[in-house]
Amino acid sequence: MENISNVFITDCKESHYLKPLRIHYTQNGKQKMWDVMKVHNSVAILVYNISRDVLVFVKQFRPAVYYCSVQKEESQDDANQTIDTSKFPASHGITYELCAGIIDKDMSFQETAQAEVLEECGYKVPLEKFQRITSFRAGVGTTGALQELYYVEVTDDQRVSKGGGIVEEGELIDVVEVPVDQGKNLVMDETIQKPAAFLFALMWFYENIRKASQ
Ligand SMILES: O=c1ccn([C@@H]2O[C@H](COP(=O)(O)OP(=O)(O)O[C@H]3O[C@H](CO)[C@@H](O)[C@H](O)[C@H]3O)[C@@H](O)[C@H]2O)c(=O)[nH]1
Ligand SMILES: [Mg+2]
């Protein structure tokens, strides 16, 4: 996963994954504009393996995280640049995340959650086992996209593959198991790069599931 080379940045003229738009509006009589990024809605799932009392996360290389991390240190032009990977290794872009996926097929949030847990973590779990926790808006200044958060308890018997994502789609994901008595430490651990949904889901788990079962 950390074998990253030939990194160069260009402008993005068109994309299946995002589209920049400018919204013009009048607020309190004042003419305004705001630049936004249209992206897919998504689902994230907190996976708890009750057979071995471990939380199941995914670890992956995130180009956007890598880019922002490198930019902070280099402050070059945005595009048309080559990144020196010997100076900036892939570790700058590795994240810990909840299993997650974008809604880009004709499937509900819950069905997408089921598919992502199978693809990324290798567990085949009945649809009704996915418990909806809540939803929230990601990147409110730029995207406003919706993410629904689910919780699912899995067992070793449901593990049908190693997971790791869909190779044909270029996914390369490590499944990470964290013992439940250590998971809370991840919340404030800034040596690990992680999205806000990851922090929230962990806090929810220790407030509602772990606490309740103790
Ligand atoms: O520029 C891109 C973007 C996506 N992909 C492909 O699309 C897949 C998308 O994977 P998926 O698992 O469906 O979505 P995630 O990348 O995990 O993103 C979701 O999970 C993230 C972590 O919670 C959130 O930040 C995002 O908003 C949410 O969409 C990738 O693996 C690639 O195969 C590309 O090839 N190029
Ligand atoms: Mg994903």
Side-chain angles (χ1 to χ4, degrees):
M1 177 185 301
E2 302 210 13
N3 182 12
I4 303 289
S5 58
N6 298 325
V7 181
F8 60 97
I9 321 278
T10 63
D11 282 320
C12 173
K13 302 262 192 271
E14 60 169 88
S15 168
H16 167 67
Y17 301 102
L18 50 87
K19 184 173 183 184
L21 295 165
R22 177 161 294 173
I23 300 181
H24 302 264
Y25 60 104
T26 302
Q27 186 178 32
N28 285 356
K30 190 171 182 239
Q31 182 92 36
K32 295 187 177 179
M33 52 146 259
W34 202 278
D35 294 339
V36 303
M37 193 66 83
K38 184 183 173 193
V39 299
H40 291 104
N41 290 333
S42 62
V43 64
I45 314 100
L46 177 62
V47 182
Y48 175 29
N49 180 318
I50 56 173
S51 301
R52 282 177 296 106
D53 207 22
V54 292
L55 293 165
V56 181
F57 302 118
V58 296
K59 190 177 157 190
Q60 54 197 313
F61 175 74
R62 288 295 198 179
V65 174
Y66 180 78
Y67 175 75
C68 289
S69 167
V70 168
Q71 280 297 299
K72 207 166 52 186
E73 296 178 37
E74 287 266 275
S75 63
Q76 298 175 9
D77 285 345
D78 290 340
N80 305 313
Q81 54 171 299
T82 301
I83 308 290
D84 180 355
T85 47
S86 64
K87 197 167 162 199
F88 298 107
S91 55
H92 283 76
I94 302 287
T95 59
Y96 275 53
E97 300 176 29
L98 301 175
C99 170
I102 54 175
I103 313 288
D104 64 346
K105 300 189 179 83
D106 190 19
M107 289 180 0
S108 67
F109 282 92
Q110 195 180 25
E111 288 164 345
T112 307
Q114 183 187 38
E116 292 293 336
V117 166
L118 177 60
E119 289 164 14
E120 296 190 352
C121 302
Y123 292 92
K124 192 165 187 176
V125 189
L127 198 59
E128 64 274 13
K129 297 285 183 194
F130 287 79
Q131 178 189 335
R132 189 178 181 282
I133 301 176
T134 187
S135 68
F136 40 80
R137 297 284 169 184
V140 289
T142 46
T143 83
L146 190 70
Q147 184 163 79
E148 286 205 351
L149 182 61
Y150 283 81
Y151 169 67
V152 70
E153 294 183 354
V154 302
T155 61
D156 280 342
D157 292 348
Q158 292 169 327
R159 189 114 196 240
V160 295
S161 82
K162 282 194 150 84
I166 302 175
V167 177
E168 300 78 55
E169 290 185 7
E171 281 188 310
L172 183 58
I173 290 170
D174 280 354
V175 179
V176 180
E177 296 185 343
V178 176
V180 161
D181 61 4
Q182 294 167 28
K184 211 169 184 180
N185 300 332
L186 296 178
V187 176
M188 299 301 283
D189 183 352
E190 290 181 78
T191 65
I192 299 167
Q193 308 198 87
K194 50 217 177 315
F198 180 92
L199 310 186
F200 171 73
L202 273 173
M203 297 301 286
W204 177 88
F205 177 80
Y206 288 103
E207 190 60 33
N208 294 280
I209 304 295
R210 190 55 172 186
K211 202 174 177 182
S213 69
Q214 277 177 340

